[in-house]
Amino acid sequence: MEKKLAQKKIVWLKKHRLFDSKFKVFEKQSKIYIPVKEKVSGAIGIEIQPISKKPKSIDEVLRNILSPKELSSVVASFDIIGDIAIIEIPDILIPKEKEIANAIMQIHKNVRVVAKKQGPMEGEYRVRKLSIILGESRTETMYKENKVKMLLDITKVYFSSRLSFERKRIALQVKDGEKILALFAGIGPFPLVIAKTKKNCEIIAIELNPIAVEYMKKNIALNKIKNIIAICGDVKEIVPREYKNYADRILMPLPKDAEEFLSIAYEGAKNNAIIHFYTFADIKNPFEDAKRKIFAHLKKENIEIISERIVRPFSPARVQVAIDFRLN
Ligand SMILES: C[S@@+](CC[C@H](N)C(=O)[O-])C[C@H]1O[C@@H](n2cnc3c(N)ncnc32)[C@H](O)[C@@H]1O
């Protein structure tokens, strides 16, 4: 059959929903073979294999192994930090965890390690226990975000890739010459993104976990940043001792207990300083809940709320909230 005629036949078959797109049109010994879904008068029957399509999503790989509910719980709870995927495996899915990990590696070709959560974030350092279920035996990785490289060990420090928008949002607000107190700085994601975005500012980054501070120092060097000073210690001691009335802007990314540190932030703030306060709040009334915590520690008349934002869901009943306010 000549090509023009074949083209016409394909158009006709498609119009009548008889063309079978699971197969390829092919030419062999000057004959053109067109796949059809059912018998068409004049066609001869030959059998060929369907084209094997590469799966494009984890859903596609796991569809036959997990129920839709199991599938959505696995997909919703997984994060990739650098080349490590972190997943949550409910007890009933433990027998299938290797297959789940395999599916992740099959779809995310850059993932070299799949680790599973062994519990919630714990302790003062907000660190989570993890165990590797597939891939290389390591927990250190290099993560890139907002043009910043960050080295970290997912079992030794807190880190969340889900705050990347939040970091950029704050960085874009920083003005020339600002002095910033980055409390609870971890491995430095907030200060690093700010410093990369705005060179003309000074950032004091304070963190309690000595391993996180080591990583923060490495990350400052890695990104050739000159305007962050990383300090290891408790903000309750360091701010009143060394940074009273210092800051134009204070970051408080410790959503679990941030309100307990509001009086410390107050001590570190200049008049008119902006505070970025993070907390977990009731999903039904998140902003009122968050503001109640602020007003319990600082005088309402001294506070001008600038913005209120839901950062991310935290649990079925709670969300993480960011309240930006000015201290007068
Ligand atoms: C939720 S993490 C946030 C870390 C980092 N800002 C980030 O976004 O990845 C809170 C951090 O605060 C640190 N931290 C807790 N209490 C502290 C304190 N009293 N003084 C300084 N850092 C503290 C913890 O070690 C932890 O690294």
Side-chain angles (χ1 to χ4, degrees):
M1 200 191 313
E2 79 182 70
K3 281 197 177 141
K4 262 192 183 161
L5 184 58
Q7 201 54 47
K8 270 191 182 167
K9 292 266 183 211
I10 291 170
V11 171
W12 185 89
L13 287 165
K14 281 186 177 168
K15 190 175 160 200
H16 292 85
R17 298 180 191 283
L18 290 167
F19 183 81
D20 194 341
S21 57
K22 288 201 295 300
F23 299 84
K24 269 183 181 162
V25 176
F26 67 94
E27 195 175 351
K28 202 173 174 189
Q29 291 167 347
S30 69
K31 283 197 173 108
I32 296 176
Y33 292 81
I34 304 171
V36 285
K37 285 184 181 159
E38 58 190 70
K39 212 164 179 213
V40 178
S41 88
I44 53 156
I46 61 159
E47 266 185 38
I48 50 170
Q49 292 299 310
I51 316 158
S52 68
K53 282 186 187 161
K54 274 193 191 153
K56 289 199 176 70
S57 67
I58 294 171
D59 299 36
E60 241 179 274
V61 186
L62 293 174
R63 205 172 283 157
N64 300 328
I65 303 163
L66 306 183
S67 72
K69 202 172 158 210
E70 291 170 340
L71 194 56
S72 66
S73 78
V74 168
V75 173
S77 68
F78 104 90
D79 282 307
I80 296 180
I81 299 178
D83 61 1
I84 304 181
I86 302 173
I87 55 176
E88 207 168 317
I89 302 281
D91 286 350
I92 50 157
L93 289 184
I94 290 175
K96 294 175 184 169
E97 66 183 26
K98 283 251 156 47
E99 283 168 278
I100 295 170
N102 237 320
I104 291 173
M105 281 190 152
Q106 204 177 324
I107 299 300
H108 296 276
K109 298 282 183 214
N110 60 325
V111 168
R112 294 277 170 271
V113 183
V114 180
K116 77 168 170 179
K117 296 178 187 173
Q118 295 283 20
M121 297 284 185
E122 281 176 333
E124 266 185 322
Y125 298 166
R126 313 303 302 140
V127 175
R128 188 198 300 280
K129 288 197 183 75
L130 296 154
S131 65
I132 293 173
I133 49 180
L134 197 68
E136 294 169 26
S137 169
R138 68 173 157 86
T139 47
E140 188 178 77
T141 190
M142 179 74 84
Y143 167 82
K144 289 188 198 111
E145 165 197 305
N146 293 312
K147 299 187 185 148
V148 174
K149 288 185 214 151
M150 296 176 226
L151 189 68
L152 68 131
D153 187 320
I154 54 164
T155 60
K156 298 200 173 108
V157 299
Y158 173 92
F159 189 78
S160 172
S161 51
R162 297 187 185 208
L163 297 175
S164 60
F165 175 83
E166 194 53 29
R167 301 192 255 267
K168 191 73 192 171
R169 184 182 78 86
I170 307 286
L172 290 173
Q173 294 177 29
V174 173
K175 302 197 179 62
D176 275 340
E178 273 193 17
K179 290 191 178 301
I180 300 169
L181 275 178
L183 309 183
F184 322 117
I187 60 138
F190 276 93
L192 287 162
V193 173
I194 293 173
K196 196 78 171 179
T197 314
K198 195 90 194 164
K199 298 211 164 46
N200 184 13
C201 64
E202 183 182 287
I203 308 172
I204 305 298
I206 308 171
E207 166 58 46
L208 197 59
N209 176 354
I211 299 178
V213 177
E214 280 317 302
Y215 276 114
M216 179 158 44
K217 287 180 178 167
K218 281 185 192 166
N219 291 330
I220 291 169
L222 201 63
N223 292 282
K224 302 186 174 61
I225 300 276
K226 303 274 181 253
N227 49 345
I228 300 176
I229 297 172
I231 300 175
C232 186
D234 188 334
V235 299
K236 278 189 174 151
E237 289 166 17
I238 292 165
V239 174
R241 197 177 63 217
E242 292 170 40
Y243 295 99
K244 259 189 154 175
N245 303 327
Y246 166 84
D248 299 293
R249 187 178 298 275
I250 303 184
L251 318 183
M252 302 186 72
L254 181 68
K256 191 172 162 286
D257 299 314
E259 61 274 19
E260 287 173 20
F261 295 88
L262 279 167
S263 59
I264 295 297
Y266 187 81
E267 286 199 55
K270 281 186 195 164
N271 195 19
N272 283 329
I274 290 172
I275 315 266
H276 301 281
F277 175 78
Y278 295 85
T279 189
F280 296 127
D282 190 337
I283 200 162
K284 289 195 203 108
N285 220 344
F287 301 130
E288 288 317 307
D289 193 13
K291 283 186 282 189
R292 203 176 311 123
K293 291 181 193 170
I294 298 172
F295 299 146
H297 291 83
L298 297 174
K299 283 190 189 142
K300 200 172 177 177
E301 58 271 26
N302 290 345
I303 289 167
E304 181 198 334
I305 302 287
I306 302 170
S307 86
E308 307 168 335
R309 186 175 171 264
I310 303 230
V311 177
R312 57 175 175 158
F314 177 65
S315 69
R318 287 160 85 68
V319 285
Q320 184 175 342
V321 165
I323 307 277
D324 299 345
F325 62 90
R326 193 184 299 279
L327 268 178
N328 298 315

